[in-house]
Amino acid sequence: MTHGLDAYAYLKSPIHRWEPRCKLIALLALIFAFAFVQQLILLPAMVLVTLSYYAISRLPGAFLLKRLRYPGFFLAAIAVLLPFNVGNIVIWQLGFLALRQEGLLALILIVTRFLCILTVGLILFGTAPFLTSIKAMRSLGLPSVLADMMLLSYRYIEQFGEDLARMQTAMRLRGFRANKFSRRNLTVLASLAGSLLVRSYEQSQQVYQAMILRGYGCVPSRRHQLFKIHASDLIGLLVTCVVALGFVVAEIILTNA
Amino acid sequence: MHIPDGILPASIIVAGYATTGGVTWYSLRQIKRDKNPQENIPKASLLTAAFFVASWIHIPVPPVSVHLILNGLLGTILGYYALPAILIGLFFQAVMFQHGGLSTLGVNATMFGIPAIVAYHLFQLRHKVGKNNRVWTGVFAFLAGAGGLGVSVVIFFFLIVTNIPANIDAAVERNVIYGLVLAHIPLMFIEGAFTAAVALFLMRVKPELLKP
């Protein structure tokens, strides 16, 4: 796939070798534990754990930095809004600009949680082929309708992306320039979206026929034979769950202290 | 307009997953009542992929361009398949483009999914009017598109403004939410007009797509 999420799935590291179901449960537990954290004192530990997992995964730093480009807009927006607009205690002032303590602390909490969760998510889905991750979710009990839809959608996103690019090129070659908002432009762009939907609908009928010919809905599931769990996988799962639980317990203790 | 990781407290995240779980269960139950759900799965899947790609189309609104959410249009065409479609689309966006988040997947799916189901029922109201012609199809598609985005916008700003981890005066919070929602009315109009235009295009080219 052109988005390159699983471009480094071929690397060899303990995280890459981790059985996909154990990895999914463990790293999702870590993500939810991070989301639970409200106390600033826990943030350094959170960063340390995240960096440790990233180092173990041997994913290149450039991979993480490249993935931060899009969320960077969100980070920039809250970095501008929160410290200057939220809170009462002014810690620095320059003219009408007042840096406020509550806003600054909120910014640190949000940005750290955001970066840690995003990085763990990248470790989770960047260290295995995406289809393996979907199959792992399916074998963990994801409803078959959702799993089938996910696999099929994933298969066709790139193709429809290319179809869209081709149709947009054809529109430009015919002189269409969408540089202002007008009823005509909106109708033309709606027709473009409609054409994409019609193409996908027509193709889906062929896909269904092909799936029926290959026995879709009749073949017994062999999902339990897909993955094999070793002792090291369980140890990794246990250690990560203990770390995740540690964050939750520490948060509860610190909140009640 | 996706809520990213790190902003919301754990209680809202858990509530988001619980609500999405409940609504997804209800949607899957409705889907299983179809005459042939197996036939509809490829259709819904490919349309999910097509919607995912269609959301990359930018509408010029000088000096910028906006991309549409399309949850109202998803509801009008996919019916109860809209919720799994939105869940999958949001999951792909979170893991492929880091847009939205894994911890906030439940909240985002609720925020876009429930309005999509509302949009579906709004669009079905055209049959009650008894005149399944172009005008009524356009009117109800507009309402579905604008309403789908409108409900999502209200949920989005309510969650963001009330859950920023700092003390803001309740009256200020309320005014900020009102202001931000009002600022999105032009976008609701664009989303509604686009949904109506797509529905009218499909009515002319492939009318069976409007009969989920």
Side-chain angles (χ1 to χ4, degrees):
Chain A
M1 297 289 283
T2 51
H3 47 76
L5 176 69
D6 46 12
Y8 296 100
Y10 64 88
L11 294 178
K12 294 195 186 314
S13 79
I15 307 257
H16 284 78
R17 282 193 296 273
W18 206 353
E19 198 272 336
R21 287 173 299 174
C22 293
K23 180 164 62 178
L24 194 69
I25 295 170
L27 294 184
L28 281 179
L30 204 56
I31 283 173
F32 286 107
F34 286 173
F36 194 71
V37 169
Q38 299 276 347
Q39 301 294 326
L40 293 170
I41 200 166
L42 292 176
L43 297 185
M46 213 162 89
V47 173
L48 192 68
V49 168
T50 307
L51 290 178
S52 305
Y53 274 87
Y54 200 78
I56 295 169
S57 74
R58 293 186 191 149
L59 289 169
F63 176 65
L64 175 62
L65 292 177
K66 194 178 162 193
R67 296 272 153 189
L68 285 176
R69 199 185 310 154
Y70 191 85
F73 292 110
F74 155 72
L75 293 178
I78 62 162
V80 169
L81 286 174
L82 275 182
F84 298 105
N85 292 295
V86 174
N88 300 316
I89 305 170
V90 177
I91 54 174
W92 180 76
Q93 186 144 17
L94 179 69
F96 67 93
L97 277 180
L99 190 65
R100 295 164 200 275
Q101 185 179 314
E102 295 93 329
L104 193 62
L105 295 178
L107 173 70
I108 293 169
L109 178 67
I110 288 175
V111 169
T112 311
R113 274 197 316 210
F114 171 78
L115 291 175
C116 289
I117 293 173
L118 186 143
T119 308
V120 175
L122 280 181
I123 299 169
L124 174 57
F125 292 104
T127 53
F130 196 58
L131 288 178
T132 306
S133 302
I134 296 178
K135 283 173 189 165
M137 283 189 258
R138 183 178 195 162
S139 65
L140 283 172
L142 186 75
S144 60
V145 172
L146 277 176
D148 290 350
M149 281 182 68
M150 204 179 270
L151 284 167
L152 272 170
S153 309
Y154 180 72
R155 158 72 182 78
Y156 285 96
I157 282 174
E158 190 172 8
Q159 185 194 316
F160 293 155
E162 285 168 6
D163 284 353
L164 177 69
R166 206 174 301 122
M167 286 192 280
Q168 285 177 319
T169 305
M171 286 165 70
R172 277 196 299 276
L173 285 171
R174 284 166 176 78
F176 178 71
R177 295 284 181 275
N179 48 15
K180 62 174 183 175
F181 182 75
S182 66
R183 187 179 166 178
R184 182 183 173 274
N185 281 351
L186 195 73
T187 310
V188 171
L189 291 171
S191 303
L192 173 67
S195 301
L196 198 64
L197 296 177
V198 170
R199 279 172 181 232
S200 69
Y201 177 72
E202 285 173 348
Q203 191 165 355
S204 75
Q205 289 167 329
Q206 295 167 13
V207 170
Y208 175 62
Q209 303 293 346
M211 285 165 67
I212 290 293
L213 283 172
R214 285 163 179 77
Y216 178 60
C218 306
V219 181
S221 170
R222 286 182 290 171
R223 64 189 182 189
H224 298 297
Q225 297 166 14
L226 283 174
F227 307 113
K228 201 173 174 187
I229 297 177
H230 298 97
S232 56
D233 300 318
L234 290 174
I235 292 168
L237 172 64
L238 190 69
V239 169
T240 312
C241 286
V242 167
V243 171
L245 195 64
F247 277 103
V248 175
V249 171
E251 172 67 31
I252 293 169
I253 291 171
L254 288 168
T255 308
N256 294 328
Chain B
M1 221 183 76
H2 303 48
I3 298 179
D5 288 315
I7 279 206
L8 298 178
S11 55
I12 303 289
I13 286 171
V14 172
Y17 269 100
T19 314
T20 297
V23 183
T24 306
W25 171 81
Y26 182 73
S27 296
L28 293 179
R29 212 179 67 156
Q30 296 291 325
I31 287 168
K32 281 178 186 159
R33 285 182 183 171
D34 277 355
K35 274 184 283 183
N36 188 0
Q38 264 190 2
E39 185 179 359
N40 285 330
I41 284 172
K43 177 183 140 189
S45 309
L46 268 68
L47 283 168
T48 301
F51 271 111
F52 188 87
V53 171
S55 70
W56 299 345
I57 297 173
H58 281 73
I59 308 294
V61 186
V64 292
S65 65
V66 293
H67 85 92
L68 302 175
I69 303 293
L70 299 181
N71 63 333
L73 183 61
L74 253 160
T76 59
I77 293 177
L78 290 183
Y80 280 98
Y81 284 93
L83 204 102
I86 284 172
L87 194 56
I88 291 165
L90 290 171
F91 173 70
F92 285 162
Q93 282 181 333
V95 297
M96 289 177 191
F97 306 114
Q98 290 65 55
H99 192 190
L102 286 174
S103 67
T104 51
L105 184 62
V107 174
N108 284 327
T110 300
M111 187 171 79
F112 293 122
I114 291 177
I117 302 293
V118 171
Y120 163 65
H121 286 291
L122 259 175
F123 191 58
Q124 294 309 306
L125 282 178
R126 74 192 192 283
H127 298 304
K128 301 267 183 200
V129 178
K131 294 173 183 174
N132 196 11
N133 60 20
R134 287 181 63 80
V135 174
W136 285 113
T137 300
V139 168
F140 281 103
F142 178 87
L143 291 175
L149 178 65
V151 178
S152 297
V153 164
V154 172
I155 298 172
F156 176 80
F157 286 117
F158 178 78
L159 286 174
I160 289 290
V161 175
T162 55
N163 286 291
I164 287 174
N167 298 324
I168 309 178
D169 183 49
V172 176
E173 265 184 9
R174 199 169 47 245
N175 289 337
V176 169
I177 294 171
Y178 286 157
L180 290 169
V181 171
L182 285 174
H184 278 73
I185 286 178
L187 287 180
M188 290 176 215
F189 177 82
I190 294 172
E191 186 98 18
F194 189 83
T195 304
V198 174
L200 292 174
F201 173 86
L202 294 176
M203 195 181 183
R204 197 170 65 241
V205 177
K206 206 81 180 168
E208 60 262 44
L209 258 172
L210 295 178
K211 293 172 188 166

